[in-house]
Amino acid sequence: MKKRFFKRFSQVLLILILTFTMGCHLPNNKETAKEFINACKANNISEIKLMLAMGVDPDITDDGLTGLMVAAYNGYIELTQLLLKKGANVNKKYYGTASAAWRGETALSFAISGYAYYKKHDKQKAKRIEKIALFLVDKGIDINSQTEDGSNYLMHASWAGMESLIKKLIEKGIDVNFTSPDGFTALMTASLSGRYNVVKLLLEHGANPNLKVKKGKYKGYTALKLAEKKGYKDIVKLLKQYGAKE
């Protein structure tokens, strides 16, 4: 604990020294970016406030990662609010090298991933992440944004089982029958993931149960066939009630 404290103290001290020698302004370079993102990971609000006051761009990236993405994934509500207040871009996308799977994802995408993980490991943190996700939507997120693979927020939220976010996205006008390049829909994603409540929610808002996957492993499959393949009998029954055909 002491070691960690002195490490953070020395880092903050370095920032102060650099600031003093450079006329109260920090350069937006790689070193600053790394320090800023590390401070965000540690949820060190005082250091982050100091760096922002010294001119650090709230959207500065360390290998594509922004502070807002870090805050959203980890359920740091105060940090999320601070960065947005300072002008962080809710629609900025990740294009780093750490993971190809993250390419094209925004802070909201990171929040959904964080929710899916912490729902199993830390329910309180998952609740905080859920609040952040809803907050980001209200702060001007582009609901039609897509990741590199052509999927969208509704598909991601359906996979994670984020019912409150799905409702919010539908309220904002997202297309419930949006299809990715391979033909997948949010309903298919929910059916494949065994998300009964999500399947019901999507069907109630007009999701078409008879669309088919266009290519890939599940080519020709409907939401019904996907649910049957996974053995989700309750979802199969529900889909049939809403007109799903064999």
Side-chain angles (χ1 to χ4, degrees):
M1 184 67 112
K2 284 184 179 178
K3 219 183 245 189
R4 196 164 27 185
F5 169 78
F6 284 116
K7 183 181 179 184
R8 298 308 299 171
F9 176 78
S10 62
Q11 289 170 335
V12 173
L13 184 62
L14 177 60
I15 290 171
L16 290 171
I17 293 169
L18 286 171
T19 300
F20 177 77
T21 57
M22 300 185 72
C24 295
H25 185 82
L26 278 173
N28 283 289
N29 56 23
K30 286 184 179 181
E31 289 72 23
T32 300
K34 188 170 287 297
E35 175 59 27
F36 185 76
I37 297 303
N38 283 339
C40 289
K41 288 177 180 177
N43 199 23
N44 190 329
I45 299 295
S46 57
E47 183 179 349
I48 293 161
K49 283 182 177 179
L50 176 62
M51 294 185 78
L52 290 170
M54 305 303 183
V56 173
D57 183 351
D59 284 325
I60 196 169
T61 62
D62 179 28
D63 191 24
L65 202 61
T66 68
L68 191 59
M69 292 170 187
V70 171
Y73 182 88
N74 290 288
Y76 297 153
I77 294 176
E78 185 183 355
L79 177 55
T80 298
Q81 293 172 333
L82 171 64
L83 291 171
L84 289 172
K85 185 179 179 181
K86 293 297 182 179
N89 181 2
V90 292
N91 293 305
K92 191 173 181 66
K93 295 186 175 184
Y94 173 87
Y95 286 110
T97 60
S99 174
W102 296 347
R103 291 182 65 80
E105 293 198 351
T106 64
L108 180 56
S109 306
F110 275 80
I112 295 170
S113 295
Y115 175 85
Y117 176 78
Y118 286 110
K119 191 178 181 183
K120 299 174 184 176
H121 304 283
D122 187 336
K123 292 190 184 300
Q124 289 306 310
K125 181 170 276 199
K127 286 180 181 178
R128 293 196 296 274
I129 293 171
E130 193 170 15
K131 287 182 181 178
I132 289 174
L134 298 175
F135 184 64
L136 289 172
V137 175
D138 283 332
K139 285 296 177 180
I141 208 86
D142 176 10
I143 60 169
N144 297 310
S145 178
Q146 299 174 34
T147 55
E148 286 286 284
D149 65 2
S151 58
N152 73 349
Y153 295 130
L154 191 61
M155 295 174 73
H156 299 167
S158 296
W159 160 75
M162 290 184 79
E163 295 170 46
S164 59
L165 177 57
I166 292 167
K167 289 176 184 175
K168 174 75 78 173
L169 290 169
I170 291 173
E171 283 173 14
K172 294 288 183 179
I174 201 165
D175 181 6
V176 293
N177 288 310
F178 169 87
T179 59
S180 63
D182 58 6
F184 252 83
T185 64
L187 184 63
M188 292 171 185
T189 303
S191 298
L192 189 62
S193 304
R195 307 287 189 188
Y196 180 90
N197 290 340
V198 174
V199 170
K200 190 172 187 293
L201 180 59
L202 292 169
L203 289 168
E204 288 173 344
H205 286 86
N208 185 346
N210 293 309
L211 296 176
K212 295 181 179 181
V213 180
K214 297 173 186 174
K215 58 184 179 180
K217 180 181 177 181
Y218 296 113
K219 182 179 179 181
Y221 278 55
T222 60
L224 178 64
K225 196 170 180 181
L226 289 168
E228 286 175 337
K229 182 176 179 62
K230 288 293 184 176
Y232 299 131
K233 294 180 180 179
D234 53 345
I235 293 178
V236 168
K237 184 179 178 181
L238 179 62
L239 287 165
K240 285 181 177 178
Q241 288 173 355
Y242 279 84
K245 299 171 184 176
E246 291 286 357

